[in-house]
Amino acid sequence: MPVSDSSHVLVTGGTGFIGSHTVLELARQGYNVVVVDNLSNSCEEPLRRIEKLTGLKDRIPLFKVDLADKDGLREVFRQYSFSSVIHFAALKAVGESVHKPLMYYRNNIAGTLNLMDAMIEFGVKNIVFSSSATVYKADPEGRPFREDSELGCTSPYGRTKLFMESIIQDVVNAEQGWNAIMLRYFNPTGAHESGTMGEDPMQIPNNLMPYMSQVAIGKLEKLHVFGTDYNTRDGTGLRDYIHIMDLAEAHVAALRRLPANQGYEVFNIGSGSGQTVLEMIDAMSAACGKKIPYSEDPRRSGDIDTILCDPTKAAEVLGFKVSRSLEQMCADLWRWQTTNPNGYEQ
């Protein structure tokens, strides 16, 4: 028998970077959350910190279940009656996906199929999906991506996100009553303002900001700037960055949108403005009070000049706009890094 009413939200991958900050925001706004995570790239500690930050009296239920485990997943659905699902659980390293494509297809796509099977079986027809700007085809003109921009992925990771979107869309089209929102976001960074929650890469970080913060604290020697001859303000690649707590709030806005019964919808989530790599180095240097060492290295294959978000639709339909500045992203990231030099391990 279910142990709760339909006010529960299931969050897959809820102990990861984006998932845990979204769970924090859900808990802060009064949602009852259940987390499913296999803990392959994360740990339980973020949930304990969420409980302290929000003053929760009860522990957030965590099921250590891999989405490949259909029976384990079905058991979670048997115990709780869910109103909706937010689906984060997936492998996410672009570079790794190039070298291990079958692992990414098997994990990301099969996991989504099993999740959708369970949702169908137990009559849960509302889902917010964690997608990515990597589903878009690179625009050589550097124009901001709109939701109707041409699709075309450059990595197996991006293709899995696009295939996962298609699976969900086909289910929505096949059966009445489904509501699904795809959130395609750009470059999340920062940390919770308390400094108690942030990104905790298990290996050497793949992304600019966590790598840079580890250089700043002395765990890595220097930052590598790949390419200084791009068609941008200073010759380095320009990207759209969004504070992790803004992104968490976007997921809650999407969750609130689901009861409007709009079927299948897609929203870009970003700031609409971008910063170059050198500008991010300057901003992070200001936040930590010291120059961050870096080397200028050749371009990487596949990198392009500019990747920007057009956030108009999210603002008009979801009522969502970013509210945190670049300076706050860097300050919060530095606070997390200095308070937790070894991540959640300590």
Side-chain angles (χ1 to χ4, degrees), residues 157-345:
Y157 164 74
R159 276 188 284 277
T160 66
K161 286 293 186 179
L162 186 56
F163 293 159
M164 293 154 83
E165 284 191 11
S166 298
I167 290 166
I168 295 169
Q169 184 175 21
D170 287 342
V171 171
V172 172
N173 293 339
E175 185 178 345
Q176 286 188 342
W178 275 84
N179 298 292
I181 292 179
M182 311 293 104
L183 297 184
R184 295 173 179 164
Y185 36 82
F186 287 67
N187 293 273
T189 188
H192 187 259
E193 60 185 14
S194 66
T196 60
M197 290 180 62
E199 188 168 6
D200 184 16
M202 294 295 183
Q203 289 91 30
I204 294 176
N206 291 298
N207 297 327
L208 173 66
M209 294 307 288
Y211 196 106
M212 193 190 306
S213 68
Q214 291 197 11
V215 171
I217 205 171
K219 294 185 73 173
L220 296 171
E221 179 186 2
K222 62 181 178 180
L223 182 70
H224 298 271
V225 178
F226 296 104
T228 57
D229 59 348
Y230 289 103
N231 184 26
T232 61
R233 292 186 289 266
D234 57 25
T236 61
L238 186 145
R239 300 293 183 263
D240 192 322
Y241 294 89
I242 179 173
H243 194 291
I244 185 62
M245 291 311 302
D246 278 327
L247 184 54
E249 290 170 4
H251 285 83
V252 178
L255 194 66
R256 288 178 173 157
R257 170 76 174 169
L258 291 175
N261 296 314
Q262 297 297 313
Y264 180 86
E265 295 183 291
V266 177
F267 295 94
N268 287 338
I269 303 296
S271 68
S273 62
Q275 284 78 37
T276 67
V277 175
L278 293 183
E279 288 168 348
M280 295 303 288
I281 292 173
D282 287 343
M284 194 64 188
S285 295
C288 65
K290 56 186 173 183
K291 287 289 186 180
I292 295 174
Y294 67 91
S295 63
E296 296 182 355
D297 298 333
R299 288 191 185 200
R300 295 177 298 189
S301 176
D303 279 353
I304 61 174
D305 301 77
T306 299
I307 299 177
L308 276 178
C309 169
D310 182 338
T312 304
K313 184 179 177 184
E316 293 178 348
V317 179
L318 294 180
F320 170 78
K321 292 183 179 180
V322 300
S323 62
R324 295 165 178 85
S325 66
L326 171 62
E327 290 74 21
Q328 186 171 351
M329 287 184 214
C330 294
D332 291 343
L333 175 57
W334 184 237
R335 188 177 302 110
W336 155 255
Q337 185 69 74
T338 52
T339 308
N340 303 269
N342 297 312
Y344 289 114
E345 280 186 10

Side-chain angles (χ1 to χ4, degrees), residues 131-150:
S131 193
S132 167
T134 57
V135 302
Y136 291 116
K137 184 177 181 180
D139 185 341
E141 301 298 321
R143 291 168 293 199
F145 289 113
R146 294 165 44 93
E147 287 78 2
D148 57 1
S149 294
E150 186 177 359

Side-chain angles (χ1 to χ4, degrees), residues 52-67:
K52 291 180 181 178
L53 285 168
T54 58
L56 289 175
K57 295 180 180 178
D58 299 320
R59 287 207 157 191
I60 297 170
L62 168 64
F63 291 84
K64 300 172 190 176
V65 174
D66 194 302
L67 295 190

